[in-house]
Amino acid sequence: MENTKKKFNLRRFAIASAVLYIVLLIGPIVGLDIPVIVESVKANPLQLVQFFIIGISNGAIIAIIALGYTMVYGIIELINFAHGDVYMVGVFTSLTVLSVTGTLESKDPGKIVFGLILALVIAIVVCAVLNATIERLAYKRLRNAPRLAPLISAIGMSFIIENVGLMWAAQAWLVPSFGTTGGASQKVFPDMLGVLFTSMGWDVNLLASSGLALRLTIKDLLVIILAVTLMTGLYLFVQRTRLGKAMRATAQNRDAAKMLGIDIDWVITATFLIGGGLAGAAGLMAGLYNNTAWWFMGFRAGLQSFTAAVLGGIGNITGAMLGGFLIGLLASFSDGYLNARWTNALVFATLVLILLFRPTGLLGEQTGQKA
Amino acid sequence: MKNIRSGITFGIIGGLLTFLFGGWSVTVIGCLMGVGLGMGMAGRFERKDPLKIALAVLPSALTAAVLLVGLSLYQNNFVQEAIGKRPAAENTVLYGNLIGFLGTVLFTTLLAALRGLPEKQEQTARMILLAALIVAFPFVDKLTALRWTAQIIFALIFVILGLGLNIVVGYAGLLDLGYAAFFAIGAYTTGILSSPQHGIFMNFWLVIWIAAAMAALWGFMLGAPTLPLRGDYLAIVTLGFGEIVPVLFRNLIDVTIKEPFTCWILPGLIRLFGAETTMACITFVEHEDLTAGEKGISPIGRPVIPFINYEFQSSNPIPWYFLIIMIILLSVFIIRRLRDSRLGRAWMAIREDELAAAQMGINPVTTKLAAFAMGATFSGFAGAFYAAYIAGIFPSVFDFSASIIILCVVILGGIGNINGVIVGGLVIMTADRLFLPALKDFLSSLLTHTVLPSISDPVVQRAVSDNANPILYRFLFFGLTLVIMMAVRPEGLIPNAQVRAELHSNETPPIEDETPKSKKAKKG
């Protein structure tokens, strides 16, 4: 007995050291230069905490977008490829609202707060309606078609919305801060929260007085608090309300739910509305936190959130939140210690590895393996 | 009545196209339109006397020709002025329209009349006619100074890519959203092996095979981990690979490989015991620029025809045109043989029902891997040709949108149908490369000469002129293609009978409708 256990351990040790050797050998090609990383962590351990804070804040945004993926996948088993682009529309909508209401130039705290709340509401409504419209136009009639047809349709929708974003970013008459460089370049989303807190006389950095070389801003807190509120609200909604129950029933078995008198079409529309609304809220939050607006940002955000949804177990709302935070941390550490140019590839590699080795995800209930 | 309607549709589309291109384009458009119209209408007739068929299609041919020439003359006399150009010379107008008219009528009646021959002869005759047209095209293009050949070559590159993707998506039923990765691998293999980047200058005729082999190898290697996946998860993983590969090519600009044992582990241990060390560190590569990153690899060697020592030039597209036509012919030949082989039938069995196929003794693992590898091979050819033709490669060409454009080609043309994919590739890429730029020129000159002067508000003026650029809406068109095709005609323009039946399996089977169509599709 003891002998076999020893052998087993030896074999594991051999495999682990082989993997370590290979990582040390070819890791530096993709920026995974462990000795260098160890050195930089040793030199500035506080940076680790800093990346952790950034990762959690970005992870909160990713988690909210991931909720939209996971809910839609849970109900109609479709990867709503256009969801990331709905989030991009959320960023642009809120930026446009802020610009049209004159909030961008304002220094008056009351006006800024009002503008931000208005932007949040309008972004949520626009994205919710957009997402539901996408479902009506592109997915509804394909509900009984072979599985790949709605996916291809979703990719097409994603392209259409990306193009809308590209054109939107070129409309300098609508939002003067877009400038005249055309729609393809990244645009600045003004740091309204910074302006707001400065005008109220607060220091944005909460740790400024502690003397540590760390930044934990009110923005971080606000993003995390808003995200956690939205997630809790959604969780309670799905668990407690009648519509939430109908959603869960539809996810389990659409035909049976229909027989029991649930209006499937309305449940699916409601799912898309909620998912789109969350994406809209995430859009405003991401714009305020990262201060960029770009027509192509939905693609990267979409894939990160989809990875998060798969990592947590697709169809599982708690899983999507967990996955969002984990992917946020992964992306943040990769940005910090490897190189930002490898982050996308790393997230993709994570997605591939999860799908290959644990397709049910960390907390997964659904297998998602039906052909 | 239906025939006349086709004639009107074709005539109006062709005539509107002359709005964009002007000049001699009416001749080429007329002939191409005649071929399309004739082939389209031929299927509607029973096999009978060719002369009767010719007479029967003559009215619609004449309708199309009259519409074409009428619109073309209108263009020359009125539209040219509105876009601020001078009408073409009288000779050009007279001969261009005359040949265009005759070409439309002649080709329509001729191709429709071929239907009257026995099936074997009909196919041979049609082949000869199409071959003659394909050979004549670049020379006519040169004579008429339209300069379409260079763009048609891009369309043909995407035809090869579509044919390769068709093996994976159409035959084996595996949705691959990262197909451009293999295109990139083929192109970069060519770039690395025949450019000053590494000082290697290999012969193109050798490199193209190495590129294909390399793409096949990577198709095999990236296909292997996806075997347990199905449906949309497979699609997402291939998308992931398709994103990772360009990222690698973009960023492999500073490659360092050191042997870890001598570089870190031993020195680390020694330092742990407090001793100083100056060990020799085994280094394989240090700061090697493998792919030149964002600025791309260029110049890449061009093919040289041996014995006569003719080097292909970028200024003369005609040799390139014939080279890619030869590659396409070779690809079509190989793919047809593959499709009808044991392997091809195994692919289709896997596509229909993997479990049942496995039960019948088909090995799903090797069959799927063969599909990935064979599909990638053709993109290796396309990549090698592309790299040599452009004489430079840049990582941004191979991103996600390229994969989706190739997917558009397959889906628009018809999943699983070689002829469909060829038509799809030509339609999508000529629309992207010829039609949109021409439309952009047309609109911008129309705006500056006619529309903008009548708008007084400078803000509106600027907004209109900024947004009236159809090239900015490329993605919108590709997206619309996918969405509309999926909603209206998921089997594509020229469907494969089996795929069509499968895609409409949940509807009541239209039995009478199915028979003539399936006969037609079998030929593809």
Side-chain angles (χ1 to χ4, degrees):
Chain A
M1 185 65 198
E2 208 179 308
N3 198 14
T4 53
K5 205 177 176 190
K6 218 173 191 175
K7 245 185 192 168
F8 180 63
N9 278 344
L10 198 68
R11 202 174 141 204
R12 281 205 138 172
F13 180 73
I15 293 176
S17 34
V19 169
L20 186 70
Y21 185 84
I22 291 173
V23 167
L24 282 171
L25 181 68
I26 61 171
I29 298 177
V30 294
L32 192 63
D33 199 340
I34 290 177
V36 172
I37 294 172
V38 170
E39 285 301 313
S40 73
V41 173
K42 243 199 275 179
N44 188 358
L46 269 183
Q47 219 178 14
L48 202 69
V49 184
Q50 184 68 65
F51 289 140
F52 187 81
I53 295 172
I54 298 175
I56 290 288
S57 306
N58 274 321
I61 297 169
I62 294 174
I64 296 182
I65 310 172
L67 289 174
Y69 277 106
T70 218
M71 282 167 59
V72 167
Y73 196 93
I75 287 200
I76 54 174
E77 296 205 343
L78 161 74
I79 299 170
N80 181 11
F81 213 85
H83 192 73
D85 301 300
V86 173
Y87 150 81
M88 179 271 295
V89 169
V91 178
F92 276 99
T93 311
S94 41
L95 183 51
T96 309
V97 171
L98 289 178
S99 173
V100 169
T101 54
T103 318
L104 292 187
E105 289 85 36
S106 149
K107 293 267 183 279
D108 173 28
K111 201 174 173 199
I112 294 179
V113 170
F114 171 76
L116 287 177
I117 291 174
L118 189 70
L120 182 68
V121 171
I122 294 184
I124 287 177
V125 170
V126 166
C127 291
V129 171
L130 175 68
N131 210 23
T133 316
I134 292 172
E135 195 267 334
R136 269 292 143 84
L137 290 179
Y139 310 150
K140 195 177 176 196
R141 67 170 83 205
L142 298 174
R143 226 174 265 166
N144 294 318
R147 264 290 288 276
L148 294 182
L151 180 65
I152 292 170
S153 195
I155 294 169
M157 265 298 163
S158 156
F159 262 55
I160 293 173
I161 300 173
E162 273 172 22
N163 208 144
V164 170
L166 179 67
M167 294 317 296
W168 196 333
Q171 309 307 319
W173 57 272
L174 192 64
V175 184
S177 67
F178 282 161
T180 50
T181 47
S185 56
Q186 292 204 25
K187 308 293 178 196
V188 175
F189 194 115
D191 182 13
M192 292 317 293
L193 287 178
V195 174
L196 175 67
F197 296 132
T198 325
S199 70
M200 285 161 74
W202 296 356
D203 197 333
V204 180
N205 186 3
L206 294 174
L207 297 178
S209 55
S210 67
L212 289 169
L214 264 186
R215 276 175 68 84
L216 172 66
T217 59
I218 308 180
K219 284 201 282 182
D220 291 306
L221 284 187
L222 212 66
V223 164
I224 295 170
I225 290 171
L226 191 55
V228 172
T229 317
L230 284 173
M231 288 178 216
T232 322
L234 182 72
Y235 184 80
L236 290 178
F237 172 81
V238 171
Q239 292 299 326
R240 299 279 166 83
T241 62
R242 220 179 139 77
L243 183 58
K245 209 183 229 176
M247 277 179 183
R248 282 183 290 140
T250 314
Q252 273 185 3
N253 188 332
R254 206 190 303 164
D255 293 330
K258 204 172 184 175
M259 269 182 246
L260 292 172
I262 291 173
D263 182 354
I264 302 293
D265 285 341
W266 163 239
V267 168
I268 292 175
T269 307
T271 310
F272 274 86
L273 281 173
I274 295 171
L278 288 172
L284 176 66
M285 282 157 59
L288 289 173
Y289 186 73
N290 292 326
N291 299 327
T292 48
W294 189 33
W295 66 280
F296 202 62
M297 68 195 293
F299 184 74
R300 180 179 168 171
L303 279 153
Q304 289 190 348
S305 344
F306 179 72
T307 309
V310 174
L311 176 63
I314 198 146
N316 182 326
I317 289 177
T318 333
M321 302 178 202
L322 177 68
F325 286 117
L326 288 178
I327 293 294
L329 287 177
L330 177 77
S332 158
F333 285 127
S334 155
D335 279 349
Y337 288 116
L338 307 187
N339 194 324
R341 62 184 193 212
W342 294 113
T343 303
N344 257 2
L346 195 69
V347 172
F348 272 118
T350 317
L351 175 65
V352 172
L353 290 177
I354 307 161
L355 285 180
L356 292 177
F357 293 111
R358 202 184 157 87
T360 50
L362 294 177
L363 312 176
E365 294 158 351
Q366 296 228 350
T367 56
Q369 273 278 10
K370 301 166 211 162
Chain B
M1 202 54 231
K2 205 175 167 189
N3 290 343
I4 296 281
R5 212 163 53 209
S6 317
I8 293 174
T9 325
F10 270 74
I12 289 178
I13 293 174
L16 290 180
L17 285 178
T18 65
F19 274 36
L20 302 184
F21 298 106
W24 279 96
S25 65
V26 59
T27 314
V28 179
I29 291 173
C31 295
L32 293 178
M33 200 175 84
V35 174
L37 190 59
M39 282 188 14
M41 285 197 300
R44 295 183 194 154
F45 291 96
E46 295 292 313
R47 289 193 187 286
K48 56 181 181 190
D49 188 12
L51 204 61
K52 270 186 193 157
I53 297 180
L55 281 177
V57 296
L58 197 59
S60 50
L62 284 173
T63 323
V66 167
L67 278 170
L68 172 75
V69 170
L71 284 171
S72 152
L73 289 175
Y74 175 78
Q75 188 266 349
N76 197 47
N77 291 330
F78 298 100
V79 180
Q80 284 287 58
E81 210 168 302
I83 62 171
K85 284 182 187 159
R86 275 200 327 214
E90 209 144 286
N91 269 343
T92 316
V93 177
L94 182 67
Y95 290 115
N97 283 302
L98 195 66
I99 304 175
F101 186 88
L102 291 178
T104 315
V105 177
L106 184 75
F107 280 110
T108 312
T109 44
L110 195 62
L111 274 151
L114 290 180
R115 178 76 184 165
L117 299 173
E119 191 167 344
K120 263 264 157 20
Q121 287 178 24
E122 183 203 355
Q123 277 185 17
T124 327
R126 195 183 283 171
M127 279 296 160
I128 292 170
L129 232 152
L130 286 181
L133 272 176
I134 290 170
V135 171
F137 174 78
F139 300 107
V140 173
D141 181 58
K142 200 173 178 186
L143 276 180
T144 53
L146 285 172
R147 298 207 179 80
W148 284 358
T149 312
Q151 308 304 328
I152 293 289
I153 290 173
F154 280 104
L156 295 175
I157 292 174
F158 274 79
V159 165
I160 301 186
L161 289 169
L163 288 172
L165 183 62
N166 185 39
I167 294 180
V168 186
V169 177
Y171 295 156
L174 309 162
L175 182 58
D176 188 342
L177 294 181
Y179 190 69
F182 305 121
F183 184 35
I185 287 167
Y188 268 94
T189 309
T190 312
I192 288 168
L193 291 182
S194 56
S195 77
Q197 178 71 18
H198 295 275
I200 308 170
F201 300 96
M202 278 167 95
N203 190 325
F204 175 79
W205 309 112
L206 182 63
V207 166
I208 191 168
W209 294 103
I210 299 177
M214 200 68 184
L217 179 71
W218 278 97
F220 182 84
M221 280 172 33
L222 295 185
T226 66
L227 289 173
L229 301 171
R230 286 184 194 178
D232 41 11
Y233 273 29
L234 171 79
I236 290 293
V237 169
T238 53
L239 189 157
F241 287 141
E243 279 299 295
I244 291 173
V245 168
V247 169
L248 280 177
F249 283 130
R250 187 168 281 151
N251 293 328
L252 290 181
I253 46 177
D254 187 9
V255 180
T256 301
I257 301 180
K258 287 180 176 172
E259 206 284 326
F261 203 68
T262 55
C263 289
W264 296 300
I265 299 176
L266 269 186
L269 283 176
I270 294 172
R271 232 178 278 144
L272 207 63
F273 293 111
E276 277 300 309
T277 168
T278 46
M279 254 185 74
C281 175
I282 301 175
T283 306
F284 298 108
V285 199
E286 197 155 26
H287 302 303
E288 173 81 26
D289 186 353
L290 194 64
T291 59
E294 209 68 64
K295 66 180 192 291
I297 299 178
S298 81
I300 292 169
R302 300 199 184 90
V304 177
I305 298 177
F307 307 121
I308 61 168
N309 266 337
Y310 175 77
E311 192 184 6
F312 285 44
Q313 298 299 331
S314 47
S315 54
N316 182 11
I318 294 181
W320 296 100
Y321 174 81
F322 285 109
L323 176 60
I324 188 118
I325 290 282
M326 300 234 282
I327 299 178
I328 289 185
L329 287 179
L330 180 73
S331 309
V332 170
F333 175 75
I334 296 174
I335 292 174
R336 291 182 96 155
R337 304 297 295 182
L338 269 176
R339 181 195 59 191
D340 298 336
S341 71
R342 196 183 162 78
L343 183 61
R345 281 175 283 135
W347 283 336
M348 286 171 219
I350 291 264
R351 177 187 74 197
E352 299 303 327
D353 190 336
E354 190 175 330
L355 268 181
Q359 227 25 260
M360 299 300 285
I362 292 170
N363 183 346
V365 174
T366 50
T367 313
K368 282 188 188 176
L369 282 181
F372 276 118
M374 286 314 300
T377 309
F378 293 100
S379 63
F381 284 134
F385 180 88
Y386 176 84
Y389 178 56
I390 304 288
I393 37 175
F394 310 95
S396 56
V397 177
F398 308 103
D399 59 9
F400 180 60
S401 61
S403 297
I404 297 306
I405 293 172
I406 306 170
L407 185 68
C408 270
V409 164
V410 175
I411 284 176
L412 180 77
I415 302 173
N417 186 328
I418 294 177
N419 291 351
V421 173
I422 293 176
V423 170
L426 286 174
V427 169
I428 294 244
M429 289 313 286
T430 45
D432 187 28
R433 288 249 164 200
L434 276 178
F435 179 75
L436 285 184
L439 189 64
K440 181 202 163 202
D441 289 344
F442 178 78
L443 278 181
S444 64
S445 38
L446 186 70
L447 282 177
T448 42
H449 288 94
T450 313
V451 180
L452 287 186
S454 62
I455 300 175
S456 49
D457 188 353
V459 178
V460 178
Q461 208 174 37
R462 171 147 194 131
V464 170
S465 67
D466 276 355
N467 291 316
N469 179 0
I471 294 184
L472 289 178
Y473 300 91
R474 279 179 75 215
F475 282 177
L476 188 82
F477 294 130
F478 290 126
L480 276 179
T481 311
L482 289 179
V483 174
I484 294 177
M485 288 308 287
M486 279 300 120
V488 179
R489 208 177 153 94
E491 68 273 20
L493 292 178
I494 305 178
N496 170 307
Q498 280 168 326
V499 176
R500 187 186 154 91
E502 195 185 333
L503 283 168
H504 289 277
S505 56
N506 57 329
E507 297 159 15
T508 42
I511 297 163
E512 323 77 29
D513 186 20
E514 204 69 280
T515 21
K517 286 265 159 98
S518 61
K519 229 187 244 165
K520 210 175 132 197
K522 261 179 204 141
K523 271 184 249 146

